């Protein structure tokens, strides 16, 4: 009966995890109901390109501007850091009113700088990103019998040494009829019920899709001469995407027009993001992750079983001996029992170790909480920037945990001495943010020099520094204070005054430490491809449930790898395990960085220019540093617990 009860619990747990893997989401905005004829405003976001990874403002090119002038939309911290610049546009629709041949504007004759800038943006494959009711414009293209989805549309294209711009847009707005129910409630039991009617409102419509087809069309110069904004172009415009017509030339103006049609759809408002979340190769994605999870779980289980059996055998054999046999065995000790007087000897640079472990706890806690919230749907793709904003918020708050862990570890290494805890807390608050600030400032100068919207504005820099010193630093100091007041961890054995000489090893111990990162990397590399495609290829990442499971598995594997290596080092009488346990699991960062370089060479082949490559490598270095601190902390804390448990479980004189 017990077996079946356990079996039921495991089945329930697996079902729960599988459902969590879908990462359901809550929409990022409230439902907007529009009546027939209500105005709809299209907004524009930054121009983006996977060729350069540097966003630019929409109005950095000679496009039509709205009558009331260009106005920025309110943006959160995450949007600004991601380089989003959402502004108003001259595109205006009326709900359920189809319009064709709507004239926008005729630009001034293109200057030499404007002409060269347009050619450069077309060569660099820049995309125009439009937004309607918080939905990005989506474009469908057909290739070899398959339909491909793209967000946005190209600025233009090059054909036979001539440059053409997409100056006519054909919009399709998918709408769903929204009717409020005419019943307030139904009360009663069994088959009987009481219906209480209420007054109903006029039915409205919600926007559930926004599609665009870009075309290049040569307008008649005489026809557009006297036209004003939103006038009707006098002759029909045939939108044929493959056609080439509107070639840009220096000293000549450009004319822009659009058309819009509304189509009723069965798509309901909560499901309107499904079209954006359908990633190519979805089946490969799911089966690859599941396969990786199964293989790594099986491998980690074998490692754990072998490891526990080995340690338990040593302890059991020792405890079964009588006192005389134990005394004789103590004289003939070998392996990890020989380093009992040195195993808790303070490591080199103990303050730096405490600082890195404290920052690792802060980063790991931020990652766990953020991914958990995203998996539960509180940070959906519909809410632009909330993921990054949430990460910053949780990082700031968890400064208290970083200070507590670092100072308590500092006191433990110092055998209870509180001296220097303020210095340790201060350095914990400044170590990782300081390195991040240095990297981001350097990259920001490159973006400023390129006039990219990806550059962090000076005012935002000031805000980030204020958040750092007014929230993160005080909370870290508070955590350090609690860590100084908390009792330090007592060592189960005394440390000898004279350190024991470490026997010469057959192979360098650091070689084994560096190689240990391959196992944690095995849990990550498949998911890593999808994450990097989301960051650098503009794809939407949404399977946070699976990411949460992968991260838990990564933590378990990091702990196991570090435990095994620490035990192996102790068995060969190498008592300098502190830093090695940190880098045994932290070395996974090396392989992630090498994978990033591989991704740059083979997947981002079109990335052009030294500035773009420097930005990519700079951001990769920043992410890898954070991963090293988080995974290294997991390995060190698990090894510390194991060593403490191991030497407190057996009495040695």
């Amino acid at each position: 009966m017990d077996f079946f009860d356990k079996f039921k619990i495991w089945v329930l747990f697996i079902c729960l995890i599988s459902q969590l893997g879908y990462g359901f989401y809550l929409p990022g905005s409230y439902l907007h109901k529009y009546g027939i004829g209500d105005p709809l405003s299209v907004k524009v976001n930054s121009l983006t390109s996977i060729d350069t990874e540097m966003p630019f403002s929409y109005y950095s090119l000679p496009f039509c501007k709205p009558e009331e002038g260009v106005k920025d939309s309110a943006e959160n911290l995450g949007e600004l850091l991601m380089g989003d610049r959402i502004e108003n546009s001259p595109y205006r629709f009326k709900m359920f009113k189809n319009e064709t041949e709507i004239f926008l504007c005729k630009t001034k004759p293109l200057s030499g700088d404007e002409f060269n800038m347009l050619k450069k943006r077309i060569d660099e494959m820049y995309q125009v990103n439009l937004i309607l009711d918080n939905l990005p414009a989506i474009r469908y293209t057909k290739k070899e019998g398959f339909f491909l989805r793209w967000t946005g549309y190209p600025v233009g294209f090059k054909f036979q040494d001539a440059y053409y711009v997409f100056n006519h847009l054909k919009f399709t707005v998918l709408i769903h009829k929204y009717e409020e129910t005419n019943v307030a409630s139904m009360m009663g039991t069994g088959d009987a019920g009481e219906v209480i009617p209420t007054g109903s409102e006029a039915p409205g419509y919600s926007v559930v899709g926004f599609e665009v087809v870009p075309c290049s069309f040569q307008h008649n110069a005489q026809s557009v001469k006297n036209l004003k904004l939103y006038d009707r172009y006098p002759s029909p415009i045939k939108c044929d995407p493959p056609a080439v017509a509107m070639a840009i030339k220096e000293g000549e103006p450009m004319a822009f027009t659009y058309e819009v049609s509304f189509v009723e759809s069965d798509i309901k408002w909560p499901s309107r993001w499904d079209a954006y979340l359908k990633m190519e190769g979805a089946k490969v994605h799911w089966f690859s992750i599941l396969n990786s999870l199964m293989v790594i779980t099986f491998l980690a289980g074998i490692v754990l079983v072998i490891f526990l059996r080995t340690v338990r055998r040593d302890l059991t054999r020792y405890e079964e001996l009588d006192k005389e046999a134990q005394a004789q065995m103590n004289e003939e000790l070998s392996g990890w029992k020989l380093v009992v007087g040195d195993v808790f000897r303070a490591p080199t640079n103990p303050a730096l170790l405490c600082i890195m472990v404290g920052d690792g706890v802060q980063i790991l806690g931020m990652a766990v909480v953020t991914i958990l919230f995203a998996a539960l749907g509180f940070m959906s793709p519909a809410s632009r920037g909330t993921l990054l904003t949430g990460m910053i918020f949780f990082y700031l708050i968890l400064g208290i945990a970083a200070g507590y862990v670092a100072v308590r570890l500092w006191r433990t290494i110092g055998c209870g001495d509180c001296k220097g805890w303020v210095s340790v807390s201060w350095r914990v608050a400044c170590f990782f943010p300081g390195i991040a600030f240095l990297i981001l400032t350097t990259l920001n100068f490159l973006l400023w020099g390129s006039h990219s919207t990806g550059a962090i504005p000076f005012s935002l820099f000031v805000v980030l520094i204020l958040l750092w010193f007014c929230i993160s630093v005080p909370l870290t100091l508070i955590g350090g204070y609690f860590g100084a007041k908390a009792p330090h961890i007592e060592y189960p054995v005394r440390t000898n005054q004279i350190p024991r000489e470490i026997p010469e090893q057959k192979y360098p111990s650091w070689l084994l430490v560096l190689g240990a990162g391959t196992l944690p990397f095995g849990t990550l590399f498949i998911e890593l491809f999808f994450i990097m495609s989301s960051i650098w290829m503009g794809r939407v990442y949404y399977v946070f449930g699976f990411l949460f499971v992968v991260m838990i598995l990564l933590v378990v594997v990091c702990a196991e790898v570090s435990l095994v290596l620490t035990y192996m080092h102790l068995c060969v009488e190498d008592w300098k395990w502190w830093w090695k346990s940190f880098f045994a699991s932290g070395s996974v960062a090396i392989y992630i960085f090498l994978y990033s370089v591989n991704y740059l060479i083979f997947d981002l082949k079109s990335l052009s220019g030294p500035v773009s490559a420097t930005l990519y490598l700079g951001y990769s270095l920043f992410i890898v540093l954070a991963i090293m601190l988080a995974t290294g902390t997991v390995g060190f804390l698990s090894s510390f617990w194991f060593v403490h448990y191991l030497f407190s479980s057996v009495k040695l004189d």
Side-chain angles (χ1 to χ4, degrees), residues 121-300:
R121 295 289 177 260
I122 292 172
D123 283 334
E124 292 171 340
M125 300 169 58
Y126 269 86
Q127 301 275 322
V128 179
N129 299 291
L130 306 178
I131 302 170
L132 177 65
D133 194 45
N134 202 39
L135 278 180
I138 195 167
R139 175 172 58 97
Y140 292 94
T141 58
K142 191 173 183 180
K143 185 178 182 181
E144 297 178 357
F146 294 95
F147 279 100
L148 303 177
R149 303 177 200 84
W150 310 84
T151 52
Y153 66 91
V155 172
F157 59 95
K158 183 181 180 182
F159 182 72
Q160 294 182 350
D161 296 329
Y163 290 86
Y164 298 86
V165 70
F166 288 119
N167 61 335
H168 178 81
L169 301 180
K170 181 180 180 181
F171 295 108
T172 302
V173 181
L174 303 181
I175 55 176
H176 183 78
K177 193 171 185 179
Y178 177 80
E179 292 183 358
E180 293 188 2
T181 179
N182 199 31
V183 178
S185 63
M186 180 172 286
M187 299 161 52
T189 57
D191 295 329
E194 181 183 357
V195 177
I196 303 175
T198 61
S200 62
E201 298 181 9
Y205 294 89
S206 57
V207 177
V208 295
F210 184 37
E211 300 173 4
V212 62
V213 177
C215 304
S216 180
F217 183 79
Q218 182 66 56
H219 299 88
N220 186 287
Q222 293 300 320
S223 299
V224 301
K225 191 173 183 181
N226 298 317
L227 291 179
K228 296 180 180 179
L229 185 64
Y230 306 128
D231 283 348
R232 185 82 176 268
Y233 187 72
S235 57
I237 297 177
K238 184 181 179 182
C239 185
D240 185 14
V244 291
M246 181 58 194
I248 57 172
K249 297 178 182 178
E250 186 176 350
E252 292 187 7
M254 297 186 297
F256 291 87
T257 53
Y258 72 93
E259 60 184 280
V260 59
S261 60
F262 291 82
V263 178
E264 284 199 62
S265 172
D266 293 331
I267 300 172
K268 295 184 178 180
W269 192 84
S271 304
R272 64 182 192 155
W273 274 86
D274 289 357
Y276 302 86
L277 303 182
K278 291 177 181 176
M279 301 172 67
E280 281 70 23
K283 290 185 179 180
V284 176
H285 178 79
W286 296 109
F287 284 117
S288 296
I289 293 176
L290 288 173
N291 179 62
S292 177
L293 289 173
M294 291 170 62
V295 171
I296 296 301
T297 304
F298 179 70
L299 190 58

Side-chain angles (χ1 to χ4, degrees), residues 9 16 53 62 92 126 157 170 194 199 209 226 320 327 398 417 450 459 490 506 510 529 560 575 594 610 632:
I9 292 172
L16 179 64
E53 301 296 347
R92 298 283 188 272
Y126 269 86
F157 59 95
K170 181 180 180 181
E194 181 183 357
N226 298 317
E320 288 177 351
L398 287 168
D417 187 10
S450 303
S459 58
E490 297 280 353
K506 295 180 180 179
W510 283 102
F529 171 79
E560 290 172 348
W575 48 266
L594 292 176

Side-chain angles (χ1 to χ4, degrees), residues 35-60:
I36 296 176
D38 286 354
L40 295 170
S41 298
V42 177
K43 296 182 179 180
V44 291
N45 203 343
S46 301
L47 304 172
T48 55
S49 169
I50 60 173
D51 195 43
T52 65
E53 301 296 347
M54 289 190 294
F56 289 95
S57 170
Y58 174 82
Y59 293 108
S60 62

Side-chain angles (χ1 to χ4, degrees), residues 537-558:
M537 304 289 283
R539 296 173 184 169
V540 179
Y541 186 87
Y542 68 98
V543 284
F544 290 103
F546 265 115
L547 181 61
F548 185 72
V549 175
V550 169
M551 190 179 66
I552 292 174
L553 191 59
L554 174 67
V555 169
V556 173
V557 173
C558 284

